[in-house]
Every structure is written in C-alpha cells, then in structure tokens.
Amino acid sequence: MPDELCIPVYHVDKNDNNQAFVRGAMLTPSDEDGDWAGNGVYFWDNIGNAHYWTKSRRYKNITISKAMMRTYEKFILDLTEPESASNFLRLAKIVQEQIKRNIDLTSKAEKGAVINFVCTFLQKMQKNSLNIKKIPQPFKVVKVVGYYPSAPEHVFFAVSDDKNLGPHVTLKTKVIYAVRDQTILEQRQIIKEV
C-alpha cells in the first residue's frame, strides 16, 4: 500500500472564514475556470508565500490558517513536472473521445477549464460506478507552480547582469495547491492575524 502524504498548507482568507474553517466548516471553493488550477480552495506550500499573498492583496481583517493535507499521491494531479502534465493531457484527450466533445487542449487553452472538465468527468464516472480502462479516480488536489514576476527577489538569488540568465534559483515561483476535497484537511489552526 502506498504511503500517505502529510503536507502542511496555508490559506489566506477573511478572519471569519478562517475561524469557521478551523472549527470544521468548509471554505467556499473558487470556481476558477481560467489559467490556474481550476475549482478548489487555494493553499500555499509555505508560510512565506501566504505572507506574500497577504501583502499583495491588502485585504482587511484577514488571517492565515494552516492545515495538514493528508492524502495519497494518486489523488494529487501534480502539474509541476512535465511527465505528469503530459499524462494529464493524454487523459484529457481520452475524456474528450469518451464524451465526444471538443475542448481546447492547446497551449492557448484555459488550464483551469480543462482541469475542471476532466475532474467533472472523473467524478461522474465514480458516481455512476463506471470503470473505463485508463481512467483514474477523481483528483482531490491539483498542484501547480505559479510564476509571480513582480514578487521581490531576495538579494541572495538576484542574477547579476554579467551572468547568463539560464536556469537559476528564484523566489518568483510559488507552489499552489487547489484542494477539491476539503475532508483531507486536518489539524486546522489560525497561525497569523494580519
């Protein structure tokens, strides 16, 4: 049996929403259908990125909550590496063939819409107890890396003008989890009032 993953995640929201979340309520998921990770409640992979988000949004009366995300690798759609992204694109094509509906799967596609399309199909398959070869169980989490060009770069990682701007370390990318199944979020707590 595969090992269960236990990942700390951080969510920025209005204090009332986070307080209810800590008491066991479900947060209102995003219905994102654009270029991010689709539907779900968005969490950061570390407290520093959550702080970045609070500063970039300038909301009032917000807090940062922390939870432990407990799940198995097979339930995470990990779009942070090429092989997994290619596998997901193949899956989207299979779904497209199964329901005989064309969706944009090019680089111009709204990534969130494609993720939602595939996840909705997988949920219907599971609900109807249909087993189709090569179709996995629905994803509980979508993992992506966001690029924030205006995020401040730490002086330690700054690239000097005399260096070739090839692969390098940066703080401008941030790991984001879109949690579609909030029942996997445990040990909820408020860790920071902003």
Side-chain angles (χ1 to χ4, degrees):
M1 181 166 193
D3 290 334
E4 184 177 42
L5 302 174
C6 187
I7 303 166
V9 292
Y10 303 84
H11 179 72
V12 177
D13 210 329
K14 294 177 184 172
N15 185 49
D16 291 345
N17 295 340
N18 267 338
Q19 291 292 347
F21 172 66
V22 167
R23 290 190 303 271
M26 298 299 170
L27 293 163
T28 302
S30 168
D31 58 0
E32 199 282 324
D33 219 13
D35 226 12
W36 287 95
N39 297 346
V41 178
Y42 282 64
F43 288 84
W44 299 101
D45 72 327
N46 65 61
I47 188 69
N49 289 344
H51 283 293
Y52 165 78
W53 191 246
T54 64
K55 292 173 188 162
S56 70
R57 291 295 170 232
R58 308 232 190 285
Y59 296 126
K60 292 185 179 184
N61 197 26
I62 60 172
T63 53
I64 298 172
S65 60
K66 178 182 179 182
M68 297 306 286
M69 183 173 67
R70 297 179 74 88
T71 190
Y72 295 92
E73 195 170 354
K74 69 180 182 177
F75 294 123
I76 299 176
L77 173 56
D78 184 351
L79 297 178
T80 66
E81 58 89 23
E83 184 178 343
S84 183
S86 294
N87 290 340
F88 175 72
L89 187 57
R90 280 193 286 281
L91 175 60
K93 289 177 182 177
I94 291 169
V95 171
Q96 189 177 35
E97 292 168 6
Q98 287 290 323
I99 66 171
K100 298 177 181 12
R101 180 175 156 216
N102 279 340
I103 60 169
D104 184 4
L105 298 176
T106 68
S107 61
K108 295 179 181 176
E110 300 287 359
K111 293 4 168 216
V114 175
I115 292 166
N116 291 339
F117 171 76
V118 171
C119 286
T120 298
F121 176 80
L122 296 177
Q123 289 166 340
K124 286 180 182 176
M125 292 290 98
Q126 185 181 48
K127 184 178 178 184
N128 296 327
S129 299
L130 297 176
N131 264 337
I132 298 175
K133 216 178 209 181
K134 299 183 185 176
I135 301 288
Q137 295 180 8
F139 303 107
K140 296 180 180 198
V141 178
V142 178
K143 179 183 178 184
V144 296
V145 175
Y147 175 62
Y148 294 84
S150 62
E153 189 67 89
H154 191 278
V155 67
F156 184 68
F157 297 123
V159 178
S160 65
D161 291 337
D162 61 337
K163 287 189 179 179
N164 180 350
L165 191 62
H168 63 282
V169 177
T170 181
L171 295 178
K172 293 185 179 285
T173 61
K174 300 177 184 313
V175 174
I176 303 165
Y177 295 97
V179 177
R180 299 176 79 86
D181 177 0
Q182 294 181 57
T183 63
I184 66 172
L185 299 169
E186 300 176 356
Q187 300 174 358
R188 304 170 179 191
Q189 59 183 306
I190 301 294
I191 61 164
K192 178 80 174 171
E193 293 188 20
V194 183

